[in-house]
Structure formats: structure tokens, C-alpha cells
Amino acid sequence: MFISTGFMAFFAATTLAIDVGMLMTARAQAQNAADAGALAGAIALAMDSFDDRSASGPVVQSAMNAAIDNAVLGTDVAVEPADVTFPLAPNGEANRVRVAVYRTQARSNPLPTFISAVFGLDVVDIA
């Protein structure tokens, strides 16, 4: 009885140490990918075409390409043209670029877990 309880506690601690650490690393890498995409989009917005914000335009394409170039745990993130948006600045000017990146089941690239699979959690989503 005590051995099985201790074993389950060990598994829970291992899950916390390994899987949660992996998820925190993946989250940081996803943020880096989104930041790189937003920076590339902002540079294209300033240098290439301030008015062309279409899906095939240089701003959206630069943002998507830069985000995709930054993998999360060795796998490319999923970024679509609709994930690149142009929020307004406080003064009302549309001079900003926001990029959302995903590793989710809906986009067919979720993060696999290692130890949590024992408890039935095979994959997790990050965005």
C-alpha cells in the first residue's frame, strides 16, 4: 500500500518536473516565434508597403515566414494569414503588427507529453 502510494507520488512529481518544464520551454519558444514574426512584419510594414496588409502582401508574408522559421521544440509552428493582425495604437493609428502562433490539435501539430501520457494526457496545445 505504501509502496504504491509512494510510486504514484513519484510519478506525479516526475510529471511536474518533466512535462511542465517542457511546456514552459515550449511556451517561451512560441513567444519567441510570435515576437520574431511581429518584428519582421513591422519592418516590412515600415520598409515595404504600409498600405498592403493583404494575405499575400509583404507584411503578412514576412511575419508568417519569420514565425515559421522559429520552431517550438523542433517542430514548426502553425501560422495562417488570419493570425497576423494590425491592432491600433493608443492614438488610433494602425501601425502595429501582432502575430499568433499555434501548436494545437486543431492545427495538427500538438505537443506530445512524456510522463503525462501515463495519466491519459497524450498531447497538449499551446498558442
Side-chain angles (χ1 to χ4, degrees):
M1 175 76 164
F2 290 117
I3 293 175
S4 63
T5 303
F7 192 62
M8 288 304 290
F10 174 73
F11 256 150
T14 302
T15 299
L16 184 65
I18 293 174
D19 284 343
V20 173
M22 178 205 53
L23 293 175
M24 296 300 291
T25 300
R27 170 69 176 87
Q29 290 177 354
Q31 183 65 54
N32 288 343
D35 290 346
L39 182 59
I43 291 170
L45 189 67
M47 300 296 193
D48 291 332
S49 177
F50 190 77
D51 296 324
D52 186 2
R53 297 169 189 216
S54 66
S56 61
V59 177
V60 173
Q61 291 301 310
S62 293
M64 289 175 52
N65 290 335
I68 291 169
D69 283 345
N70 290 274
V72 172
L73 296 180
T75 301
D76 290 341
V77 295
V79 183
E80 298 173 357
D83 299 328
V84 179
T85 58
F86 302 93
L88 297 178
N91 64 0
E93 189 176 1
N95 61 357
R96 297 174 182 212
V97 179
R98 181 180 183 274
V99 178
V101 300
Y102 297 92
R103 282 211 50 197
T104 62
Q105 286 181 311
R107 304 260 178 125
S108 301
N109 65 345
L111 288 169
T113 60
F114 296 110
I115 306 299
S116 297
V118 173
F119 300 108
L121 184 62
D122 296 330
V123 295
V124 294
D125 296 339
I126 63 163

